[in-house]
Amino acid sequence: MKVLMSAYACEPGRGSEPGAGWAWATAAARRHEVWVLTHSTNARSIEAVLAQDESLRATFHPVFLANPGPIRRLRTKGPARILYYAIWQLWTARRAALALHREQAFDITHHVTYATDWLPSAVSAVRDVPFVWGPVGGASSVASPLLWWQCGARTALSELLRACLLVPARIIVGGRESRRASLVLAQNRDVARAFRRAPVRVTQNVALTDLPSRPDPDPHRPRDADGPPIAVYAGRLLGWKGLRLALSALRHPSARAWHLHLYGDGPMRGPLQRLARRWGIQDRVVFHGVVPRDTVLHAIRDASVFLFPTLHDGSPWALGEALTLGCPAVCIDSGGAATMVSQAHGVVVPRSRRLAADLAHALDAARQLSGGTDQWHLDRLPALLDELYQQAGARGGTRRPTSMAGDPA
């Protein structure tokens, strides 16, 4: 097939959105010819890889795009970056997509990175071919009001404002994109429910490679036999990541032996440090800040539990890395984390008013689990994409909305 893919973030050797863009685009290029619309800042790293890989260069065609003139200043202005991205999709990439389609006559279009259900896609403007949208995240951002207040007043206010802004955008923009899509790939069950009138399938965008080897599980020797049980968190320190809940869990009597190591930085670092001192648990909470990725991965691999109480991560790569490395996980029943964690590899804590206490009990329960999984490995993508493109192609470029059950990837 000739595939036109929108991957604003697409960079080799990275995680999260840039890593997802690169993984999905190169996986598609293994079996198809792919033109990738991406931001011009990715040019140097992509061209360096293509210069060394002749086979990939034959089927992977990057198209580097940036918004014109003074609009470029928005890219570094905090929340204004969202406006920059929307303009990039609606104007810059859309024009390129339509021009390329007139030249190449694509068989299918696919929107991959920053596939959020309240932001537009350039490639959906190509109307006469099947359109795959996603994996899409977003709907879980307003699915858990019960959790907001347990994460502090600042987070509650932020989530309320976010909900007020995103619900209309989700209805207008997300509804339009889902109606155009021949197949919606939902990052989690919340998104699948939000677009249940469209053909929808649940799958994550996580695609992992180059992880350190898993330790051999020894049923006679606990992972933390040489010291206190350690829970690890990796990611930005933001209110909606649920880290206030994580600290609150450590106050519970059942978690008094546990230590928490946080890798990453963000605006919540200061408030969390003050909270740890106020609650008298500062000697059991370690803030490592931003450290090399290998350091984080080895810390996760050797931890007792990966604690990830986020409110609405769509498809958390750090969680996928933890599960792949054999570290059992504890998360809340919200967003992509709950979709990814199975009973064999972790504990999903239901939403309730006693969430901190339940998280504390879940730490000991998850600690007993062991064994990794390879379901998030990059190698799964080429066959999966073939299947998805065939499914979308069977529905064609124009369709009436129908119902389709989501199936976990």
Side-chain angles (χ1 to χ4, degrees):
M1 288 185 175
K2 284 187 174 181
V3 180
L4 177 62
M5 183 175 286
S6 171
Y8 177 91
C10 180
E11 193 171 354
R14 295 283 303 278
S16 192
E17 291 293 327
W22 179 253
W24 284 72
T26 53
R30 291 191 197 179
R31 303 186 182 182
H32 308 282
E33 193 168 9
V34 183
W35 281 256
V36 183
L37 307 180
T38 189
H39 196 268
S40 58
T41 52
N42 302 319
R44 180 178 297 179
S45 58
I46 290 176
E47 288 175 342
V49 172
L50 294 181
Q52 303 296 322
D53 191 334
E54 183 177 353
S55 62
L56 181 61
R57 191 165 63 244
T59 58
F60 184 98
H61 310 294
V63 181
F64 302 112
L65 304 168
N67 285 334
I71 297 175
R72 296 182 186 183
R73 298 176 185 175
L74 298 175
R75 191 170 176 270
T76 59
K77 300 292 184 180
R81 288 178 295 180
I82 297 175
L83 178 59
Y84 179 94
Y85 173 77
I87 294 171
W88 188 90
Q89 289 286 351
L90 290 172
W91 176 253
T92 305
R94 184 179 186 274
R95 295 177 68 198
L98 293 173
L100 276 170
H101 182 52
R102 286 192 292 270
E103 296 175 7
Q104 300 295 336
F106 294 107
D107 299 303
I108 197 162
T109 62
H110 187 181
H111 181 101
V112 182
T113 61
Y114 293 120
T116 303
D117 61 8
W118 51 274
L119 286 171
S121 169
V123 296
S124 69
V126 180
R127 298 296 186 90
D128 56 340
V129 299
F131 166 49
V132 178
W133 187 36
V136 182
S140 54
S141 62
V142 294
S144 309
L146 180 64
L147 307 182
W148 298 351
W149 303 105
Q150 299 182 69
C151 292
R154 182 185 303 180
T155 299
L157 178 60
S158 174
E159 290 300 301
L160 179 62
L161 291 173
R162 181 182 175 90
C164 291
L165 292 172
L166 296 193
V167 168
R170 180 169 294 117
I171 293 172
I172 297 169
V173 179
R176 181 189 63 197
E177 300 295 353
S178 68
R179 288 190 295 272
R180 291 180 180 176
S182 304
L183 180 62
V184 176
L185 305 180
Q187 291 184 1
N188 54 68
R189 290 185 290 269
D190 295 328
V191 175
R193 283 190 292 268
F195 299 110
R196 58 188 176 274
R197 291 178 60 84
V200 62
R201 174 169 174 168
V202 177
T203 190
Q204 299 290 327
N205 71 2
V206 179
L208 305 175
T209 57
D210 302 327
L211 297 181
S213 59
R214 291 195 292 258
D216 294 330
D218 183 349
H220 304 294
R221 178 180 173 83
R223 296 166 62 88
D224 45 37
D226 297 326
I230 293 176
V232 165
Y233 165 85
R236 292 176 296 166
L237 306 187
L238 303 172
W240 57 268
K241 293 288 188 174
L243 297 174
R244 182 186 174 98
L245 280 168
L247 296 190
S248 186
L250 258 64
R251 301 175 67 195
H252 195 271
S254 66
R256 60 181 177 271
W258 281 83
H259 290 228
L260 175 61
H261 289 233
L262 299 105
Y263 291 87
D265 212 341
M268 284 297 294
R269 178 168 182 163
L272 289 171
Q273 289 175 323
R274 292 191 292 271
L275 201 58
R277 289 193 293 269
R278 187 193 316 163
W279 287 346
I281 58 173
Q282 70 274 13
D283 59 331
R284 294 190 286 129
V285 181
V286 182
F287 293 83
H288 292 273
V290 178
V291 301
R293 181 171 180 265
D294 284 348
T295 302
V296 179
L297 292 176
H298 281 87
I300 293 173
R301 184 195 64 180
D302 298 332
S304 309
V305 166
F306 187 75
L307 179 57
F308 200 70
T310 180
L311 273 61
H312 52 70
D313 262 292
S315 188
W317 277 51
L319 178 59
E321 289 168 337
L323 297 174
T324 301
L325 290 169
C327 183
V330 170
C331 70
I332 296 171
D333 186 12
S334 181
T339 305
M340 295 174 68
V341 176
S342 69
Q343 292 182 347
H345 302 117
V347 177
V348 178
V349 178
R351 308 170 195 177
S352 73
R353 298 186 183 279
R354 55 187 307 274
L355 194 49
D358 291 343
L359 285 170
H361 291 300
L363 289 173
D364 282 329
R367 183 184 177 190
Q368 310 304 317
L369 303 173
S370 63
T373 174
D374 292 322
Q375 72 179 111
W376 311 118
H377 199 275
L378 172 65
D379 290 344
R380 84 186 197 281
L381 288 186
L384 174 63
L385 281 166
D386 279 354
E387 181 184 344
L388 297 175
Y389 290 168
Q390 289 172 11
Q391 187 174 339
R395 296 180 177 274
T398 57
R399 60 166 188 82
R400 282 190 259 170
T402 59
S403 295
M404 177 180 170
D407 55 321

